PDB file of all heavy atoms in Angstrom:
ATOM      1  N   LEU Y 357       4.999 -11.434  35.518  1.00 99.00           N
ATOM      2  CA  LEU Y 357       4.962 -10.212  36.336  1.00 99.00           C
ATOM      3  C   LEU Y 357       6.126 -10.218  37.333  1.00 99.00           C
ATOM      4  O   LEU Y 357       6.772  -9.187  37.564  1.00 99.00           O
ATOM      5  CB  LEU Y 357       3.623 -10.095  37.074  1.00 99.00           C
ATOM      6  CG  LEU Y 357       2.394  -9.847  36.178  1.00 99.00           C
ATOM      7  CD1 LEU Y 357       1.101  -9.978  36.978  1.00 99.00           C
ATOM      8  CD2 LEU Y 357       2.459  -8.485  35.505  1.00 99.00           C
ATOM      9  N   ALA Y 358       6.404 -11.389  37.914  1.00 98.00           N
ATOM     10  CA  ALA Y 358       7.539 -11.491  38.839  1.00 98.00           C
ATOM     11  C   ALA Y 358       8.844 -11.192  38.096  1.00 98.00           C
ATOM     12  O   ALA Y 358       9.724 -10.491  38.607  1.00 98.00           O
ATOM     13  CB  ALA Y 358       7.591 -12.884  39.467  1.00 98.00           C
ATOM     14  N   TYR Y 359       8.946 -11.687  36.876  1.00 99.00           N
ATOM     15  CA  TYR Y 359      10.144 -11.421  36.068  1.00 99.00           C
ATOM     16  C   TYR Y 359      10.248  -9.922  35.757  1.00 99.00           C
ATOM     17  O   TYR Y 359      11.335  -9.344  35.780  1.00 99.00           O
ATOM     18  CB  TYR Y 359      10.095 -12.244  34.774  1.00 99.00           C
ATOM     19  CG  TYR Y 359      11.439 -12.328  34.072  1.00 99.00           C
ATOM     20  CD1 TYR Y 359      12.309 -13.381  34.325  1.00 99.00           C
ATOM     21  CD2 TYR Y 359      11.834 -11.347  33.161  1.00 99.00           C
ATOM     22  CE1 TYR Y 359      13.544 -13.463  33.697  1.00 99.00           C
ATOM     23  CE2 TYR Y 359      13.060 -11.418  32.528  1.00 99.00           C
ATOM     24  CZ  TYR Y 359      13.913 -12.478  32.793  1.00 99.00           C
ATOM     25  OH  TYR Y 359      15.131 -12.547  32.177  1.00 99.00           O
ATOM     26  N   ALA Y 360       9.101  -9.276  35.475  1.00 99.00           N
ATOM     27  CA  ALA Y 360       9.091  -7.835  35.159  1.00 99.00           C
ATOM     28  C   ALA Y 360       9.683  -7.026  36.315  1.00 99.00           C
ATOM     29  O   ALA Y 360      10.362  -6.016  36.094  1.00 99.00           O
ATOM     30  CB  ALA Y 360       7.665  -7.378  34.853  1.00 99.00           C
ATOM     31  N   CYS Y 361       9.441  -7.459  37.557  1.00 98.00           N
ATOM     32  CA  CYS Y 361       9.926  -6.721  38.734  1.00 98.00           C
ATOM     33  C   CYS Y 361      11.447  -6.635  38.764  1.00 98.00           C
ATOM     34  O   CYS Y 361      12.018  -5.703  39.323  1.00 98.00           O
ATOM     35  CB  CYS Y 361       9.424  -7.366  40.027  1.00 98.00           C
ATOM     36  SG  CYS Y 361       7.636  -7.245  40.211  1.00 98.00           S
ATOM     37  N   ARG Y 362      12.119  -7.611  38.145  1.00 98.00           N
ATOM     38  CA  ARG Y 362      13.586  -7.582  38.090  1.00 98.00           C
ATOM     39  C   ARG Y 362      14.110  -6.326  37.404  1.00 98.00           C
ATOM     40  O   ARG Y 362      15.260  -5.941  37.599  1.00 98.00           O
ATOM     41  CB  ARG Y 362      14.096  -8.771  37.277  1.00 98.00           C
ATOM     42  CG  ARG Y 362      13.851 -10.113  37.899  1.00 98.00           C
ATOM     43  CD  ARG Y 362      14.399 -11.150  36.943  1.00 98.00           C
ATOM     44  NE  ARG Y 362      14.992 -12.256  37.673  1.00 98.00           N
ATOM     45  CZ  ARG Y 362      15.923 -13.053  37.168  1.00 98.00           C
ATOM     46  NH1 ARG Y 362      16.381 -12.866  35.942  1.00 98.00           N
ATOM     47  NH2 ARG Y 362      16.403 -14.037  37.870  1.00 98.00           N
ATOM     48  N   TYR Y 363      13.301  -5.725  36.534  1.00 98.00           N
ATOM     49  CA  TYR Y 363      13.723  -4.525  35.804  1.00 98.00           C
ATOM     50  C   TYR Y 363      13.544  -3.255  36.629  1.00 98.00           C
ATOM     51  O   TYR Y 363      13.869  -2.178  36.170  1.00 98.00           O
ATOM     52  CB  TYR Y 363      12.927  -4.397  34.488  1.00 98.00           C
ATOM     53  CG  TYR Y 363      13.394  -5.346  33.405  1.00 98.00           C
ATOM     54  CD1 TYR Y 363      12.958  -6.664  33.382  1.00 98.00           C
ATOM     55  CD2 TYR Y 363      14.281  -4.926  32.414  1.00 98.00           C
ATOM     56  CE1 TYR Y 363      13.386  -7.542  32.395  1.00 98.00           C
ATOM     57  CE2 TYR Y 363      14.714  -5.783  31.424  1.00 98.00           C
ATOM     58  CZ  TYR Y 363      14.265  -7.090  31.418  1.00 98.00           C
ATOM     59  OH  TYR Y 363      14.689  -7.950  30.437  1.00 98.00           O
ATOM     60  N   LYS Y 364      12.973  -3.373  37.859  1.00 98.00           N
ATOM     61  CA  LYS Y 364      12.617  -2.191  38.654  1.00 98.00           C
ATOM     62  C   LYS Y 364      11.906  -1.155  37.764  1.00 98.00           C
ATOM     63  O   LYS Y 364      12.351   0.004  37.641  1.00 98.00           O
ATOM     64  CB  LYS Y 364      13.860  -1.569  39.297  1.00 98.00           C
ATOM     65  CG  LYS Y 364      14.603  -2.523  40.229  1.00 98.00           C
ATOM     66  CD  LYS Y 364      15.683  -1.769  40.978  1.00 98.00           C
ATOM     67  CE  LYS Y 364      16.368  -2.546  42.070  1.00 98.00           C
ATOM     68  NZ  LYS Y 364      16.533  -3.991  41.879  1.00 98.00           N
ATOM     69  N   PRO Y 365      10.832  -1.547  37.120  1.00 98.00           N
ATOM     70  CA  PRO Y 365      10.221  -0.689  36.088  1.00 98.00           C
ATOM     71  C   PRO Y 365       9.477   0.510  36.678  1.00 98.00           C
ATOM     72  O   PRO Y 365       9.055   0.470  37.836  1.00 98.00           O
ATOM     73  CB  PRO Y 365       9.233  -1.638  35.394  1.00 98.00           C
ATOM     74  CG  PRO Y 365       8.874  -2.636  36.448  1.00 98.00           C
ATOM     75  CD  PRO Y 365      10.113  -2.824  37.275  1.00 98.00           C
ATOM     76  N   SER Y 366       9.313   1.552  35.864  1.00 98.00           N
ATOM     77  CA  SER Y 366       8.515   2.711  36.282  1.00 98.00           C
ATOM     78  C   SER Y 366       7.036   2.340  36.291  1.00 98.00           C
ATOM     79  O   SER Y 366       6.252   2.944  37.029  1.00 98.00           O
ATOM     80  CB  SER Y 366       8.751   3.895  35.339  1.00 98.00           C
ATOM     81  OG  SER Y 366       8.566   3.515  33.996  1.00 98.00           O
ATOM     82  N   VAL Y 367       6.653   1.396  35.450  1.00 98.00           N
ATOM     83  CA  VAL Y 367       5.284   0.882  35.469  1.00 98.00           C
ATOM     84  C   VAL Y 367       5.281  -0.493  34.811  1.00 98.00           C
ATOM     85  O   VAL Y 367       6.117  -0.777  33.941  1.00 98.00           O
ATOM     86  CB  VAL Y 367       4.299   1.833  34.742  1.00 98.00           C
ATOM     87  CG1 VAL Y 367       4.660   2.015  33.288  1.00 98.00           C
ATOM     88  CG2 VAL Y 367       2.853   1.327  34.850  1.00 98.00           C
ATOM     89  N   ILE Y 368       4.366  -1.343  35.255  1.00 98.00           N
ATOM     90  CA  ILE Y 368       4.127  -2.619  34.570  1.00 98.00           C
ATOM     91  C   ILE Y 368       2.709  -2.556  34.024  1.00 98.00           C
ATOM     92  O   ILE Y 368       1.766  -2.276  34.769  1.00 98.00           O
ATOM     93  CB  ILE Y 368       4.207  -3.827  35.542  1.00 98.00           C
ATOM     94  CG1 ILE Y 368       5.564  -3.855  36.260  1.00 98.00           C
ATOM     95  CG2 ILE Y 368       3.961  -5.139  34.779  1.00 98.00           C
ATOM     96  CD1 ILE Y 368       5.660  -4.939  37.340  1.00 98.00           C
TER      97      ILE Y 368
END
Side-chain angles (χ1 to χ4, degrees):
L357 292 171
Y359 196 92
C361 294
R362 293 179 144 204
Y363 284 82
K364 300 189 172 33
S366 52
V367 61
I368 304 174

